[in-house]
Amino acid sequence: MVNLLDRPVLQPVEQPRRKERPVARLTLPTLLALTAIVTVAPFVAMVLVAFAPPSGRTFPDALNPARMTWENFSTVLSSSEIPRWTVNSLIYSLVSVFFILLFAAMAGYAFAKKRFPGRELMFWAFLATLMVPFQATLIPSYILVAKLDWVDSYWGLIVPTLANSQAVFLMRQFIGQLPDELFESAQIDGASEWRIFTGIVLPLIRPVLATLGIFVFLWHWNDFLWPLVIGQSGDMLTLTVGLATLQTEAVPINQVMAGATITVLPSLLVFGLLQRYLTDSIAMTGLKA
């Protein structure tokens, strides 16, 4: 008999290790660094020109830190138009954020947890509006607003933007992951629909509300076309539209850049306050109830 123990044991053949090329390891960090530089460079240039004196509004004069001044900001803030435009932008953004989140949460809850005839057809028909560019509905929307006598008013500025199909879609997808047992238990206990919505749905979707609120605020704060069409007088212009009109009035570029710098501050403030909720929303995206 052949003794199997006497047979030589085959040793695994070691594969030669590939040498990592230093160029390959540096490619991704280099690309990220270049992308960051290209992204941040316009903002840095804007801030530098905003702090530069009128005689130093071009490079490399604007890079001299000894010549930086607050004169451009004081001139912009002392203008009677800039504060009014800022208030208009805040009203337009904050009111829109509140009602869009409210309506989107209510619609998302209905589409996700309620059963009614034509629910899927209604949802996909509403979602199909995402494929229609805003420019295609600009003229019909303006005609409707003009018929309601809402031109050059907050009503005409805010109301047409409240039906946000993208927000409804995000809410529906997030609420659909919540366990049905929560709602069935609340119904057994005799809770009303409004009580279920305010006591169960809203607390559980707080991260996605904050995330969506950031994006909606940025959309409306930086919006240009619709406020340009609706705002007929100087008192109803938003900050983005107002700063664009300054370029046609021979205003120094330093003051225009100072105003543009001011417009960035609310966006940074909102993002800084709600950044924790944004992180929580991203972390919860892959979780299933």
Side-chain angles (χ1 to χ4, degrees):
M1 297 179 62
V2 178
N3 190 356
L4 297 179
L5 298 178
D6 295 337
R7 291 186 175 182
V9 179
L10 298 178
Q11 298 294 333
V13 179
E14 295 184 358
Q15 297 293 335
R17 295 182 179 180
R18 293 183 178 179
K19 295 182 178 181
E20 297 184 1
R21 299 179 180 178
V23 177
R25 287 183 296 177
L26 293 177
T27 301
L28 182 58
T30 303
L31 290 177
L32 294 177
L34 292 176
T35 304
I37 292 174
V38 172
T39 304
V40 176
F43 296 96
V44 175
M46 175 186 68
V47 175
L48 292 176
V49 175
F51 280 100
S55 59
R57 58 187 179 183
T58 58
F59 293 99
D61 295 337
L63 298 177
N64 188 0
R67 303 184 63 185
M68 290 185 177
T69 177
W70 291 91
E71 180 181 355
N72 300 315
F73 291 91
S74 61
T75 303
V76 168
L77 295 176
S78 63
S79 173
S80 60
E81 296 176 335
I82 298 296
R84 176 66 182 180
W85 296 342
T86 305
V87 171
N88 291 339
S89 294
L90 288 174
I91 293 176
Y92 177 46
S93 302
L94 295 178
V95 175
S96 298
V97 166
F98 175 80
F99 283 105
I100 286 176
L101 293 184
L102 177 62
F103 295 156
M106 295 172 68
Y109 170 57
F111 283 126
K113 297 300 182 182
K114 296 300 174 182
R115 302 291 184 268
F116 53 90
R119 183 189 67 167
E120 295 298 325
L121 178 61
M122 186 183 302
F123 173 73
W124 289 108
F126 188 66
L127 193 63
T129 59
L130 286 173
M131 305 178 186
V132 181
F134 174 73
Q135 292 79 3
T137 61
L138 181 62
I139 295 177
S141 299
Y142 179 80
I143 294 175
L144 180 60
V145 170
K147 292 291 184 181
L148 296 173
D149 197 22
W150 285 354
V151 177
D152 202 34
S153 67
Y154 289 118
W155 292 101
L157 187 63
I158 297 173
V159 172
T161 65
L162 297 183
N164 194 314
S165 54
Q166 185 175 0
V168 173
F169 173 75
L170 293 176
M171 288 294 180
R172 187 247 193 185
Q173 296 302 107
F174 197 90
I175 296 175
Q177 299 179 5
L178 300 179
D180 296 332
E181 290 77 7
L182 290 175
F183 306 98
E184 294 173 357
S185 301
Q187 291 174 353
I188 293 175
D189 293 338
S192 62
E193 290 294 342
W194 182 252
R195 177 61 179 171
I196 294 175
F197 177 73
T198 57
I200 297 178
V201 176
L202 290 183
L204 291 177
I205 64 173
R206 191 178 302 169
V208 73
L209 283 175
T211 303
L212 188 59
I214 294 175
F215 292 119
V216 172
F217 180 86
L218 294 178
W219 292 338
H220 286 78
W221 182 262
N222 298 319
D223 193 10
F224 181 81
L225 183 57
W226 183 246
L228 176 65
V229 172
I230 292 299
Q232 301 293 324
S233 63
D235 291 338
M236 283 304 302
L237 297 181
T238 59
L239 200 53
T240 53
V241 178
L243 291 177
T245 60
L246 292 180
Q247 299 182 10
T248 62
E249 299 177 2
V251 177
I253 189 63
N254 306 73
Q255 297 180 14
V256 176
M257 291 297 101
T261 303
I262 294 174
T263 62
V264 178
L265 297 180
S267 302
L268 296 177
L269 179 62
V270 170
F271 182 80
L273 293 176
L274 302 179
Q275 182 181 8
R276 179 173 64 88
Y277 296 101
L278 178 62
T279 306
D280 294 341
S281 177
I282 296 174
M284 296 176 62
T285 301
L287 298 180
K288 295 291 184 180

